[in-house]
Amino acid sequence: MSARIRVYGKEAVFTQGQWACDDESLQAMLQALADPRAMTEEQEREHALYAAGRFGGLIATAYGWEAAPHPEAEIRMEDFAPARAPERAGWLSFLRKKR
């Protein structure tokens, strides 16, 4: 079984770690996210749900098309800016003058 999504009005199918779509640019965007390890039906559906959520699309279910939820953010500000001194955080924080 394959997982179907609809993004930007175009349908795409994810099966055995590969995306198939009529629109080449959409297929390239989806293939950049493709998980080659997704081989079972549940893994394919989980990956398709993630991809549809990333692009604000729909996923096919037994009841029709449903909006895919947006996935959890991969990078958060707390990863870079500590809560105690957010103004001192950052990539070049070691160059700032110390008081």
Side-chain angles (χ1 to χ4, degrees):
M1 184 74 182
S2 57
R4 292 184 321 146
I5 66 170
R6 185 178 290 165
V7 178
Y8 307 129
K10 305 285 184 185
E11 285 192 29
V13 178
F14 184 68
T15 182
Q16 296 181 353
Q18 296 287 326
W19 282 101
C21 180
D22 293 337
D23 187 74
E24 291 177 4
S25 60
L26 177 59
Q27 183 173 355
M29 291 187 323
L30 291 171
Q31 199 59 37
L33 296 176
D35 185 2
R37 300 169 296 173
M39 293 299 174
T40 67
E41 184 177 335
E42 183 59 35
Q43 290 172 334
E44 287 178 353
R45 177 157 170 46
E46 186 177 313
H47 175 68
L49 186 63
Y50 170 78
R54 286 284 301 245
F55 295 116
L58 306 170
I59 187 159
T61 64
Y63 305 109
W65 293 97
E66 293 182 7
H70 292 287
E72 186 72 28
E74 296 174 10
I75 298 175
R76 300 180 317 239
M77 280 306 285
E78 295 83 36
D79 297 339
F80 298 102
R84 55 186 158 82
E87 69 281 351
R88 299 200 46 96
W91 188 68
L92 297 174
S93 61
F94 63 91
L95 293 177
R96 291 197 183 101
K97 187 188 292 184
K98 304 219 185 316
R99 294 181 192 174

